[in-house]
Amino acid sequence: MKDFNALVTEHFKVAPADITDSLNAESVPEWDSMNYLLFIADVEKAYNVSFSMDEVLAAKTLGDIRTALRAKAVDV
Amino acid sequence: MTQAEEKPFVSLHVGDSVSFKRTISDDDVRAFAEVSGDHNPLHMDDAYARTTSFGSRIVHGMFLGALVSRLVGMQLPGKRALLMKESLEFKKPVRIGDTVNVSGRLASKSDATRLIEIELSVSSGDDLVASGSAHVRVLE
């Protein structure tokens, strides 16, 4: 199973050493709407969780997505 | 088939599968070469192809990719499809005149993103000639 940071690197082309919770669509060139949806779908699959549409739309940073996962009892 | 099926997102379920067969002709290969611009002699030139390890012309790998486009755009999910990502591994060459069976199985579904992942396989007789996956957004 790919971990969270591996999925970030795969989808947003961010080097592992550069991954921080503050990363967002403005700071990451590869973070466009399509890549974001593909990332979310892979996160759901990797951790066997389902986000709501509201959770997906409300998340603006990687930290927000981690918070949403922790709320589902996922340790990331 | 010229009318795309229409499968709304709510009607799709993990495990749903579709398939179709297609016999690939010389005309198909030449038309694909014109559309794609790939006139590589391995696909186009019998005399050249005979000198290679393949022994005869082979079908463009991405012709199979185009058949995946048909599966997604016409059948699963059909009309509401927006293909976002496709990956294929080409396992064995396909020859002109071969009949391929293209099949897709819905492997996962994300309600939040309206994305489905389809596992793909393309076979010719008993041979698996290509496999991979497609990520498709189902439009509203």
Side-chain angles (χ1 to χ4, degrees):
Chain A
M1 184 185 81
K2 287 181 184 166
D3 71 8
F4 187 83
N5 283 359
L7 291 171
V8 172
T9 297
E10 178 185 332
H11 286 279
F12 300 125
K13 311 296 183 234
V14 178
D18 296 333
I19 295 173
T20 67
D21 280 359
S22 64
L23 291 182
N24 59 25
E26 280 71 45
S27 61
V28 179
E30 292 285 334
W31 186 323
D32 57 30
S33 55
M34 284 211 172
N35 276 343
Y36 177 63
L37 293 179
L38 288 166
F39 170 70
I40 290 294
D42 270 356
V43 167
E44 287 182 317
K45 193 174 165 187
Y47 293 103
N48 196 28
V49 298
S50 292
F51 291 116
S52 68
M53 194 85 72
D54 286 345
E55 285 173 317
V56 171
L57 293 174
K60 302 297 179 198
T61 68
L62 284 187
D64 291 340
I65 299 165
R66 276 192 217 268
T67 299
L69 280 170
R70 288 177 186 134
K72 297 178 191 299
V74 175
D75 182 21
V76 284
Chain B
M1 176 197 293
T2 56
Q3 185 81 15
E5 296 181 41
E6 185 159 4
K7 297 185 172 89
F9 187 76
V10 293
S11 72
L12 300 170
H13 303 284
V14 172
D16 287 350
S17 65
V18 296
S19 67
F20 67 90
K21 284 183 162 53
R22 173 73 187 272
T23 301
I24 304 173
S25 68
D26 182 56
D27 283 350
D28 288 332
V29 172
R30 294 194 184 279
F32 189 83
E34 283 304 314
V35 168
S36 66
D38 181 359
H39 296 267
N40 187 296
L42 183 57
H43 309 302
M44 310 299 290
D45 185 329
D46 289 314
Y48 170 77
R50 275 195 294 273
T51 69
T52 72
S53 59
F54 295 101
S56 66
R57 290 161 59 205
I58 63 173
V59 175
H60 302 74
M62 286 312 295
F63 186 92
L64 304 183
L67 296 183
V68 169
S69 183
R70 171 185 160 172
L71 183 137
V72 166
M74 299 299 284
Q75 294 180 266
L76 184 65
K79 183 177 175 182
R80 301 180 189 204
L82 180 66
L83 181 62
M84 293 179 67
K85 187 172 161 184
E86 178 182 331
S87 68
L88 278 179
E89 286 187 21
F90 304 114
K91 311 273 190 192
K92 291 190 176 180
V94 175
R95 313 281 173 177
I96 294 166
D98 283 355
T99 297
V100 294
N101 185 64
V102 183
S103 66
R105 179 188 163 276
L106 204 159
S108 67
K109 180 180 172 184
S110 165
D111 289 340
T113 61
R114 297 180 66 90
L115 286 179
I116 59 174
E117 182 181 357
I118 301 168
E119 289 172 350
L120 304 164
S121 66
V122 185
S123 58
S124 177
D126 293 330
D127 291 333
L128 179 68
V129 296
S131 65
S133 64
H135 287 73
V136 181
R137 185 135 200 252
V138 185
L139 302 175
E140 302 203 28

